[in-house]
Amino acid sequence: TSATSVALFQLKEEGNKHFQAGEIDKAIECYTKAIKFSKDKKALAVIYRNRSACFLKKENYNNAVSDATKAIDVDAADIKALYRRCQALEKLGKLDMAFKDVQRCATLEPKNKTFLETLRRLGAEIQLKVMIISVKIHIFLSKTEQHVSREDAGAERIFQNNGVPLLVQLIDTGKPDMILAAIRTLSGMCTGHRARATAVTHTVGISKLCSIMAVDNEEIVLATANMLQCVYDSLSGGDKRNYGKEEALVLDSSKDLKDILLALLEMITSKKVSGHGRDQALNLLSKNVPRKDKKNTDNTKALFTIDHGLKKILKVCGQVPDLPDQLPLTENTQLIASVLLNKVYDDLRCDPERDNFRDICDEYIKSKFDPNDMDKNIHAINTLSGLLQGPFDVGNVLAGRQGVMEMMVALCGSEREVDQLVAVEALIHASTKTSKASFFISNGVTLLKDMYKKTKNEKIKIRALVGLCKLGSAGGDDYSMRQFAEGSTEKLAKQCRKWLCNPTLDVRTRKWAIEGLAYLTNDADVKDDFVDDEAAMRAMFELTQSKDKTILYAVACTLVNCTNSYDKKEIIPEMVQLAKFSKQHVPEQHPKDKKDFIVRRVKKILKAGVTSALTVMVKADNYVLTDQTKEMLARVFLALADDIKDRGTIVAQGGGKALIPLALEGTDKGKIKASHALAKIAAVSNPEIAFPGERIYEVVRPLVSLLNTERDGLENFEALLGLTNLAALNDKLRVKILKEKALPEIENYMFEEHDQIRQAATECMCNLVCCKEVQDRYLEDGNDKLKLLILLCGEDDVQLQRAAAGALAMLTAAQKKLYCGRTMWLEIIQRLCIHDNPEIQHRGLVTVFNMLDADEQLAKKLIECELLEILTFVAKLEDNPKKQDAINAARACLSRALDSGLIKPFSN
């Protein structure tokens, strides 16, 4: 009717006005009402087309496609509907269908620039998609892009089928996911294969790889750094394959290796490189420049780095983020640069090389001093801070040069906050080693005190306090060498805790509060106050999760102090008397550093959630989590695991898993401490819960390392207990223990003088005899292993007897060839069969049953001795739940003898 037509027209026009006004929801409402009124197909097609535009605006692409399709069904040449459907399909990722729609549009209007541009763009994207699918098919053949190297055939297939240029095209798209897939695939292709690594390096280009690592995308940066490391490892001789004809092509990689080092050194001072990229460039240099083995006399890479890059590393150390026109940095960049300086300096072999290093640093710092440019001066002092955090001896010498202290005085008196911050941080770093920093102790204390008293700036005040804390903790935990007056240390610590708990302060400033506590907690009064302040501890643990990982060392120091897990000098009473007589200093223990106080502090720290914080810290990147920090974390874990009641809490919060990397990497002392903590946990926990999944197999090596005779008795004992638990689980773990060459060590400890160690070793062997390889060792000619095991069954120690009898029962069950028929051995087995302990008695009787079943002559010999009387006596006992296993075993022995015709039943 005409009234309906008018209403339809009005709704349509109203919808158009709402759409033009940006009121999309109201427009959709009007078009939806109009659809209900309309009976005319052409009018309906226009309304559907309009509503499709609304759905496009709302990013409801499925509905947009549906409405546009309804319009096209009425008029296949509706160019607006076609283009709208094309736009929606593209957003849904259906590029081929979108391409067909825009192709139709371009056919209808061949001069429309919008259609032509969309057609070109979609065509290129489809081509790229086909290319990606092609690459991924090859990658799929070798499982995944990340693990392509593990399937060498797959990697070689991609390589031979023009895969590298194809992957370069993916990188050139600029799309992060494409770049990531390509880099990971290239990384896999290069791993452990020098020929492919050489080809990839030449095809892609080192400069291109470095430019990819320079982007501000952490995931891409890490993947590219990993690829460069794989390339470097393959080129530097980590690849031991025999290439045959290809050998000549990849024989000399020295130029490529040198080019990689030069490219990385160029990266660290380029403004085009992101903070993450700079971190990874420094990290790659730290990994690859120093010698892996100090016995190797070739340190040419360190000398090359000094000649071509030392000043560049110093420039990174000297950056002041608060000033304009600085290099992009992360919170960790300058610490990583200091670590690199320290590693390079440690790699030098003689005094002339060290003198050259120091002279270059000296010249660089001097060149930056300028009375007319304060920015250059603070760059010089910040560079000095970097050296003091790295090769301290070099920094300490340069700090004593003429003009340095004067410059610090000038900076401390400056009105600019940044000048004061740089100066006070340099003073703090200079005070790190009080035994060597005599120059600063005599000159810097006054400066720090003045700044602490006069400044109203919290950032400067906290740093000045940290400097004073460092100088005040020079005596360590020696109660007689307290640097401050009674109560002053506690006041400083209270102020540090206050700053630590203040969320309005930035992370960098609160970090300094922890630095202060790391030194002040040498004092036992401060330790006690700190652990009683749960809010302060939780605040410290929360900061470990921040991006600034330079905080980890200070947190670890604080925890080591609070748990007293540092090395303590053994005090010999005679030496103390001698020292007093000769008027030498004698260290004194603080009353609150006694065992009961330490235990109380450990309980409080555990309650505050320290285990979760430690697990987070362990996951930090290696270039921030230094070996020294790892050692301190291992010490803390060991202190926490001391009480058997606390080990369940540690496991529940992920401590078991966190200990594994600490036991495998780091300083020798740190690995031992972490391994001991693992042993404590493995000894009393269900290993499958403490170390879930494949991690359980990684625990074996650290535990076996504690069986070394250089380790102390407690470490030996708890390692054996842990291995006993592991060996009880499955044959795969037992084989792993054997592969780690633990068996000879365990056998040695079975005859240790210490009763508990001997018992633990025998229990471990009891579980290992399930393994055929161990059984075969007992069958070997010319060894006394079986004899020694039977002798252990005759020992007085009940637990030892129980373990040895269990091992013997399992051996005789598995190996019928074992001969246990010697007279003395039979006497020991008889004693097992009449033992008061039901478990031992049962194991002895099972051994007899196995022997009866093994050999007819041996069975006859057993029945002819007193064993028949013992078996008869035990078999006739009334059923008893406590002794039922032994009674049943005796009855089984008699039945076996009866079946063999060795005995006959009584006739009535």
Side-chain angles (χ1 to χ4, degrees):
T1 62
S2 58
T4 304
S5 299
V6 170
L8 180 65
F9 178 78
Q10 286 176 342
L11 283 168
K12 180 188 159 192
E13 286 300 307
E14 194 177 335
N16 292 346
K17 286 177 184 177
H18 284 310
F19 182 82
Q20 287 164 5
E23 297 167 345
I24 307 301
D25 288 331
K26 290 181 178 178
I28 290 172
E29 193 180 330
C30 290
Y31 292 141
T32 304
K33 286 179 182 176
I35 287 167
K36 291 175 183 176
F37 276 109
S38 179
K39 303 293 182 187
D40 181 24
K41 284 187 177 181
K42 287 188 178 180
L44 200 57
V46 172
I47 297 168
Y48 273 124
R49 186 180 70 199
N50 290 356
R51 194 170 72 167
S52 175
C54 293
F55 284 132
L56 266 177
K57 289 279 187 184
K58 294 287 288 180
E59 298 182 7
N60 188 338
Y61 301 120
N62 284 314
N63 282 350
V65 170
S66 176
D67 277 7
T69 302
K70 286 172 183 172
I72 294 164
D73 287 344
V74 175
D75 181 4
D78 188 336
I79 202 161
K80 286 185 179 180
L82 280 166
Y83 190 63
R84 282 170 192 165
R85 188 169 71 175
C86 160
Q87 289 174 299
L89 287 167
E90 183 185 357
K91 293 293 185 183
L92 291 169
K94 298 176 181 179
L95 301 183
D96 48 344
M97 294 169 70
F99 183 80
K100 287 179 183 176
D101 279 349
V102 76
Q103 199 172 35
R104 176 77 176 137
C105 292
T107 304
L108 294 168
E109 288 188 18
K111 293 184 180 180
N112 188 309
K113 289 182 180 179
T114 302
F115 297 158
L116 292 173
E117 173 58 29
T118 306
L119 189 67
R120 185 200 61 75
R121 180 170 51 77
L122 287 177
E125 285 191 26
I126 289 168
Q127 189 178 3
L128 180 62
K129 192 175 180 182
V130 170
M131 184 171 67
I132 292 164
I133 291 167
S134 171
V135 172
K136 288 202 172 183
I137 288 169
H138 285 300
I139 292 169
F140 177 74
L141 294 172
S142 53
K143 293 192 179 173
T144 71
E145 63 201 23
Q146 287 125 318
H147 303 297
V148 65
S149 62
R150 288 164 176 75
E151 295 289 333
D152 198 58
E156 190 62 27
R157 195 177 294 117
I158 296 173
F159 184 73
Q160 295 296 342
N161 287 294
N162 205 33
V164 177
L166 205 59
L167 291 164
V168 172
Q169 288 181 49
L170 287 188
I171 291 169
D172 291 339
T173 63
K175 296 189 174 183
D177 54 339
M178 310 282 185
I179 295 171
L180 207 54
I183 290 293
R184 285 173 173 167
T185 307
L186 287 168
S187 178
M189 289 169 67
C190 295
T191 301
H193 200 292
R194 198 191 308 173
R196 288 202 294 260
T198 304
V200 167
T201 305
H202 293 166
T203 306
V204 181
I206 294 166
S207 59
K208 187 179 186 74
L209 288 172
C210 289
S211 68
I212 297 166
M213 198 166 80
V215 301
D216 193 14
N217 181 315
E218 191 172 2
E219 199 173 7
I220 290 173
V221 169
L222 287 169
T224 314
N226 181 58
M227 181 193 166
L228 280 168
Q229 185 62 56
C230 292
V231 168
Y232 199 93
D233 287 343
S234 296
L235 296 180
S236 62
D239 177 14
K240 305 295 182 188
R241 297 165 192 259
N242 179 19
Y243 293 104
K245 292 179 181 178
E246 291 182 343
E247 189 69 37
L249 300 174
V250 295
L251 189 63
D252 186 13
S253 303
S254 57
K255 184 180 182 302
D256 290 331
L257 292 169
K258 192 179 288 185
D259 288 345
I260 291 172
L261 290 181
L262 281 171
L264 293 172
L265 290 168
E266 284 298 319
M267 278 187 75
I268 61 177
T269 51
S270 170
K271 288 188 176 179
K272 294 178 181 178
V273 176
S274 68
H276 293 301
R278 202 175 319 281
D279 285 1
Q280 291 305 322
L282 290 164
N283 188 32
L284 285 168
L285 289 165
S286 287
K287 281 182 181 177
N288 299 299
V289 170
R291 289 167 289 164
K292 300 286 188 293
D293 183 2
K294 295 297 181 187
K295 292 177 184 176
N296 176 10
T297 57
D298 182 13
N299 67 339
T300 50
K301 285 188 284 186
L303 300 176
F304 179 84
T305 302
I306 291 169
D307 291 341
H308 294 85
L310 180 53
K311 289 184 178 180
K312 291 174 180 177
I313 303 167
L314 292 171
K315 182 177 179 180
V316 175
C317 287
Q319 296 297 295
V320 183
D322 296 331
L323 293 180
D325 201 33
Q326 300 292 292
L327 298 173
L329 307 174
T330 69
E331 297 87 346
N332 306 312
T333 307
Q334 286 168 299
L335 177 64
I336 300 167
S338 294
V339 169
L340 173 57
L341 286 172
N342 195 46
K343 286 188 174 183
V344 171
Y345 185 72
D346 281 349
D347 204 46
L348 302 180
R349 296 178 54 238
C350 58
D351 288 342
E353 290 176 359
R354 295 184 191 96
D355 291 342
N356 178 50
F357 183 99
R358 187 170 57 248
D359 291 343
I360 293 172
C361 295
D362 194 10
E363 181 192 333
Y364 181 84
I365 290 173
K366 278 181 184 174
S367 70
K368 297 298 175 185
F369 281 138
D370 186 344
N372 300 316
D373 189 341
M374 197 59 86
D375 286 358
K376 289 180 75 176
N377 291 331
I378 61 173
H379 178 87
I381 297 299
N382 220 30
T383 305
L384 181 62
S385 283
L387 285 165
L388 289 164
Q389 291 177 83
F392 182 85
D393 292 342
V394 175
N396 194 35
V397 169
L398 300 184
R401 294 278 196 259
Q402 186 179 359
V404 174
M405 197 67 201
E406 291 80 357
M407 181 53 65
M408 288 197 185
V409 172
L411 290 173
C412 288
S414 169
E415 292 182 2
R416 281 202 313 179
E417 180 186 283
V418 67
D419 297 342
Q420 294 179 52
L421 288 174
V422 169
V424 76
E425 286 182 18
L427 285 168
I428 291 167
H429 297 310
S431 310
T432 299
K433 296 184 182 177
T434 49
S435 59
K436 296 183 178 181
S438 54
F439 176 82
F440 268 89
I441 291 171
S442 56
N443 294 275
V445 175
T446 308
L447 268 177
L448 291 169
K449 281 183 179 177
D450 286 347
M451 292 185 80
Y452 182 69
K453 288 176 183 176
K454 293 176 183 178
T455 186
K456 292 182 180 179
N457 186 320
E458 292 279 274
K459 293 180 181 179
I460 295 164
K461 202 176 189 73
I462 194 169
R463 286 163 172 78
L465 180 139
V466 171
L468 291 170
C469 292
K470 281 192 175 187
L471 296 173
S473 63
D477 67 344
D478 186 349
Y479 187 50
S480 64
M481 288 186 67
R482 297 180 68 161
Q483 301 291 305
F484 295 138
E486 191 76 35
S488 298
T489 309
E490 290 93 308
K491 285 179 183 176
L492 288 173
K494 187 178 180 181
Q495 184 60 57
C496 282
R497 298 202 310 272
K498 182 181 173 184
W499 278 321
L500 177 59
C501 296
N502 186 350
T504 61
L505 293 174
D506 60 280
V507 171
R508 195 174 161 198
T509 303
R510 291 168 73 196
K511 179 192 85 170
W512 286 105
I514 300 175
E515 289 273 358
L517 287 167
Y519 289 90
L520 291 172
T521 46
N522 278 308
D523 186 302
D525 288 317
V526 173
K527 297 178 198 182
D528 258 31
D529 291 344
F530 181 60
V531 299
D532 286 336
D533 189 344
E534 192 170 326
M537 280 198 289
R538 288 189 183 279
M540 182 175 78
F541 298 154
E542 284 171 17
L543 283 178
T544 62
Q545 299 177 39
S546 68
K547 289 183 179 179
D548 185 355
K549 297 302 178 185
T550 58
I551 203 169
L552 300 183
Y553 185 81
V555 174
C557 277
T558 305
L559 291 172
V560 164
N561 287 340
C562 289
T563 56
N564 282 51
S565 48
Y566 42 76
D567 286 330
K568 302 168 191 73
K569 289 181 181 177
E570 187 181 354
I571 298 174
I572 302 167
E574 292 82 2
M575 294 302 292
V576 172
Q577 293 300 321
L578 187 62
K580 286 180 178 177
F581 179 76
S582 58
K583 297 184 179 178
Q584 296 294 315
H585 170 70
V586 179
E588 290 180 23
Q589 186 185 43
H590 194 292
K592 290 185 178 178
D593 272 333
K594 290 180 180 174
K595 180 71 176 175
D596 53 340
F597 282 95
I598 297 170
V599 169
R600 189 186 77 87
R601 287 200 291 268
V602 167
K603 301 287 183 190
K604 291 251 183 183
I605 292 170
L606 272 168
K607 187 183 174 186
V610 68
T611 309
S612 299
L614 290 171
T615 55
V616 170
M617 292 167 75
V618 170
K619 290 174 185 173
D621 293 324
N622 267 346
Y623 55 87
V624 177
L625 191 68
T626 61
D627 287 349
Q628 289 74 23
T629 310
K630 287 179 187 174
E631 181 184 321
M632 287 193 287
L633 296 180
R635 287 175 180 276
V636 175
F637 265 122
L638 184 55
L640 297 176
D642 191 53
D643 188 342
I644 194 170
K645 295 174 187 173
D646 295 328
R647 293 174 199 172
T649 304
I650 295 169
V651 168
Q653 294 177 1
K657 292 177 284 185
L659 272 165
I660 295 171
L662 295 178
L664 297 172
E665 297 174 359
T667 64
D668 289 340
K669 196 171 279 188
K671 288 190 284 187
I672 291 165
K673 300 285 184 189
S675 298
H676 193 187
L678 275 175
K680 284 180 178 290
I681 289 169
V684 298
S685 308
N686 180 343
E688 291 175 308
I689 295 172
F691 318 107
E694 293 298 307
R695 290 189 187 91
I696 197 168
Y697 299 99
E698 296 179 59
V699 178
V700 174
R701 184 173 296 171
L703 296 191
V704 173
S705 72
L706 295 179
L707 300 183
N708 192 308
T709 50
E710 292 179 5
R711 305 277 70 80
D712 66 40
L714 182 61
E715 290 168 343
N716 299 154
F717 174 66
E718 293 185 315
L720 287 165
L721 291 182
L723 288 169
T724 302
N725 258 353
L726 293 174
L729 290 177
N730 58 57
D731 212 45
K732 192 176 175 183
L733 271 167
R734 289 189 280 273
V735 170
K736 175 70 175 170
I737 292 169
L738 297 183
K739 281 184 179 177
E740 294 295 338
K741 300 177 181 175
L743 196 58
E745 301 287 357
I746 295 167
E747 287 173 340
N748 289 339
Y749 284 119
M750 285 172 70
F751 305 98
E752 170 71 35
E753 289 182 9
H754 194 287
D755 290 342
Q756 286 180 297
I757 292 177
R758 187 168 47 164
Q759 175 200 321
T762 309
E763 285 178 351
C764 189
M765 185 59 73
C766 179
N767 288 341
L768 285 174
V769 291
C770 298
C771 189
K772 189 174 184 307
E773 190 176 328
V774 179
Q775 295 165 13
D776 291 343
R777 284 173 71 97
Y778 277 86
L779 282 172
E780 288 172 1
D781 292 334
N783 73 56
D784 291 328
K785 296 183 190 302
L786 182 60
K787 173 185 173 182
L788 295 170
L789 185 62
I790 292 174
L791 289 174
L792 287 175
C793 291
E795 291 284 335
D796 293 333
D797 186 316
V798 173
Q799 294 299 326
L800 181 60
Q801 273 188 303
R802 176 179 167 276
L808 185 62
M810 294 177 77
L811 271 173
T812 51
Q815 296 290 344
K816 306 294 185 187
K817 296 177 186 177
L818 282 173
Y819 181 73
C820 305
R822 295 183 189 176
T823 304
M824 186 182 75
W825 296 5
L826 289 177
E827 289 174 6
I828 292 172
I829 293 169
Q830 285 175 26
R831 287 207 297 271
L832 292 178
C833 293
I834 56 172
H835 204 285
D836 294 336
N837 185 304
E839 271 192 276
I840 295 173
Q841 185 182 27
H842 174 239
R843 293 176 184 206
L845 289 164
V846 168
T847 302
V848 171
F849 178 84
N850 295 335
M851 291 162 69
L852 287 169
D853 202 36
D855 181 81
E856 190 176 332
Q857 291 299 319
L858 178 59
K860 192 174 180 182
K861 190 173 182 179
L862 288 172
I863 294 300
E864 286 172 355
C865 71
E866 294 175 5
L867 260 173
L868 181 57
E869 293 177 39
I870 295 169
L871 293 173
T872 306
F873 172 77
V874 177
K876 285 183 176 181
L877 291 173
E878 290 184 10
D879 287 352
N880 181 341
K882 290 183 179 179
K883 291 191 173 186
Q884 196 60 46
D885 288 338
I887 295 167
N888 291 342
R891 290 170 182 171
C893 288
L894 291 174
S895 295
R896 185 76 188 87
L898 196 64
D899 293 342
S900 303
L902 297 171
I903 59 173
K904 293 179 180 179
F906 287 111
S907 57
N908 291 329

